[in-house]
């Protein structure tokens, strides 16, 4: 038995031709759909990147127990289980988060691995002098500086890390396609931002753009001009076309070596990306709307051939580890919550009534395939919230001594296999409270433009949500944070959507856009780190933009302007930005506009 998992990061289902896109250029995804089974109701679970990969290994949700982090010592890893059963496992990737502190235990679960440098903020090449960059709307921070340096070493497509990753995957196949008992994971960081690609792909979508460079949006409301926003979307489509070309190279190998006869192929992603939908760029700050959480999935299992067919049963990322184990003759472990996809492939038999999804400290969400319920916290401070871990690292660094001084060793959960864990006060990138609780009908409102007011339906969705939370051993404080019962029945007292409708409406207000201000407006042109050098400016800014007073804010967001960071605060009254412009003008001695 042989299996290949081809994974792209940030693959938006709605921009693929097999899922109905008319604007993209993805002929090889269309070709893929003709050779495989296309799933129309696949949802991611734990978000974003590394939590999703933890699900790929363990087959269980993790976002209710900790934030972004490594595999834990008690986790079951499908690649490692396969290794133990004599299946050779190999990873090729340019996903640099595997080599950061918050991803340091994943790649070593494989027998062997290859890593290609240069994506996003990867600290690859050592340059003391700042790189020469164009006039750009992209944020300016340590990650973007490293990326501009990396681009100098990827001037042609053959040197791009995506190309090198697929080259390495094809090299493995060329050497081993006649061997038996192996798993190959080809994992491309693209089309994750920045949307850096080559002219031959960008020219498929636009010509003659003369605005400022823009291929890396911050996760915020759209404040750019219509032309700039369209240029960014075209950049995503161009990079997606490059990914389509890489997919075609793998399909060519399958055809040439008749691998459809005996080799499983899974093509998947971790999540999507908002490209202006709901007025936002990105992910993680806002609730997990359908564009980001409802993902593409293609599976070919030679034991259950269903080429060119589709399946509507609700499936999730947590199902992939059990699927791979079952394919190689192994049983999923007792702690895996996912189910093998074999019965869905053969007869579209449902394997779950609901799908749980979300990110640590954010909305906790559920769908039954027709309705989506995005449950908000009931407390404006989004507390209580804790991480449970034996691997206390964030994305870029270990937990700080200040965090760990508040840690306590507590009894673990069933899935920790009798091992106690550290309980550490939690932190999340953004506070979900200002967005409110929302209920959507995905059949009549697939773009999620009209939140429902339906207490009976909300009660049913809360019951499903609580059932899945209990099955996942959600910590007691999660129920408190969400205003839900840890035990006992769900009642009308737990309804929240109508009570938080004012929050939903306020969060939908458009932000102050750059075009709304004069060309030299301080809040739209001067980075916050420079404004902080003005006496009393910090005291004026922080009450308006509290996200600046967080770990991410102090390191990354200070490189942005007030307008950019204001667009990350969904509940901010636009009038506050205009008032801040007057205040900063007075403090700096510049005439406010």
């Amino acid at each position: 038995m042989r299996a290949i998992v081809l994974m792209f990061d940030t693959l938006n289902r709605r921009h693929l031709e097999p899922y109905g896109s008319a604007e993209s250029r993805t002929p090889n995804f269309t070709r893929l759909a003709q050779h495989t089974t296309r799933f129309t109701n696949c949802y991611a679970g734990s978000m974003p990147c590394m939590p999703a990969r933890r699900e790929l290994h363990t087959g269980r949700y993790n976002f209710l127990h900790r934030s972004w982090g490594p595999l834990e010592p008690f986790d079951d890893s499908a690649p490692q289980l396969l290794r133990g059963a004599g299946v050779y496992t190999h990873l090729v990737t340019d996903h640099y988060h595997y080599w950061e502190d918050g991803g340091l235990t994943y790649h070593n679960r494989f027998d062997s691995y290859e890593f290609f440098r240069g994506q996003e903020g990867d600290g690859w090449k050592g340059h003391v002098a700042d790189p020469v960059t164009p006039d750009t709307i992209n944020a300016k921070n340590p990650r973007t500086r490293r990326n501009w340096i990396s681009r100098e070493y990827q001037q042609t497509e053959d040197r791009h890390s995506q190309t090198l990753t697929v080259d390495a995957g094809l090299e493995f196949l060329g050497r081993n396609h006649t061997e038996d008992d192996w798993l190959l994971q080809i994992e491309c960081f693209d089309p994750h931002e920045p949307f850096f690609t080559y002219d031959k792909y960008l020219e498929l979508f636009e010509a003659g753009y003369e605005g400022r460079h823009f291929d890396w949006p911050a996760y915020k409301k759209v404040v750019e001009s219509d032309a700039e926003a369209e240029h960014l979307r075209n950049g995503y489509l161009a990079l997606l076309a490059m990914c389509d070309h890489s997919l075609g190279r793998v399909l060519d190998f399958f055809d040439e070596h008749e691998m459809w006869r005996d080799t499983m192929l899974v093509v998947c992603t971790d999540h999507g990306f908002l490209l202006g939908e709901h007025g936002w760029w990105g992910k993680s700050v806002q609730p997990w709307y359908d564009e980001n959480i409802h993902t593409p999935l293609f599976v070919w299992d030679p034991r259950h051939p269903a080429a060119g067919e589709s399946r509507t049963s609700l499936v999730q990322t947590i199902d992939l580890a059990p699927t791979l184990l079952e394919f190689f003759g192994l049983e999923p472990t007792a702690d895996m919550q996912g189910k093998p996809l074999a019965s869905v492939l053969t007869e579209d038999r449902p394997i779950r009534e609901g799908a749980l999804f979300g990110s640590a400290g954010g909305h906790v969400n559920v769908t039954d395939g027709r309705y989506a319920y995005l449950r908000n916290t009931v407390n404006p401070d989004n507390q209580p919230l804790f991480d449970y871990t034996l691997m206390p690292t964030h994305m870029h660094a270990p937990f700080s001594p200040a965090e760990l001084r508040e840690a306590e060793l507590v009894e673990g959960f069933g899935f920790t296999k009798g091992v106690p864990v550290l309980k550490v006060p939690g932190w999340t990138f953004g506070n979900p409270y200002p967005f409110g609780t929302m209920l959507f009908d995905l059949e009549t409102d697939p773009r999620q433009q009209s939140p429902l007011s339906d207490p009976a339906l909300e009660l049913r969705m809360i019951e499903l949500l609580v059932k899945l939370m209990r099955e996942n051993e959600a910590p007691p404080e999660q129920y408190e944070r969400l205003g839900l019962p840890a035990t006992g029945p769900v009642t009308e007292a737990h309804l929240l959507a109508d009570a938080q409708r004012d929050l939903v409406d306020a969060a939908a207000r458009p932000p102050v856009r750059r075009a709304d201000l004069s060309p030299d407006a301080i809040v739209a042109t001067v980075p916050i780190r420079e404004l902080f050098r003005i006496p009393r400016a910090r005291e004026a800014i922080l009450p308006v933009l509290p996200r600046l007073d967080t770990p991410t804010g102090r390191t990354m967001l200070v490189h942005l302007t007030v307008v950019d960071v204001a667009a990350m605060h969904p509940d901010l009254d636009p009038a506050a930005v205009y008032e801040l412009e007057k205040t900063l003008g007075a403090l700096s001695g510049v005439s406010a506009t």
Side-chain angles (χ1 to χ4, degrees), residues 86 126 177 241 245 322 349 370 389 425:
H177 72 276
H245 174 69
R349 182 192 305 168
R370 165 74 185 268
T389 181

Side-chain angles (χ1 to χ4, degrees), residues 18-19 30-40 297-300 304-312 344-348:
Y19 288 94
T30 299
R31 177 181 165 199
L32 173 71
Q34 294 166 351
H35 279 287
T36 64
T37 302
R38 178 179 61 98
F39 288 76
T40 62
L297 176 65
F298 305 85
V299 177
W300 171 253
H304 312 296
E309 298 182 14
S310 63
R311 298 291 182 265
T312 61
V344 184
L345 288 166
T346 55
E347 51 188 314
D348 209 0

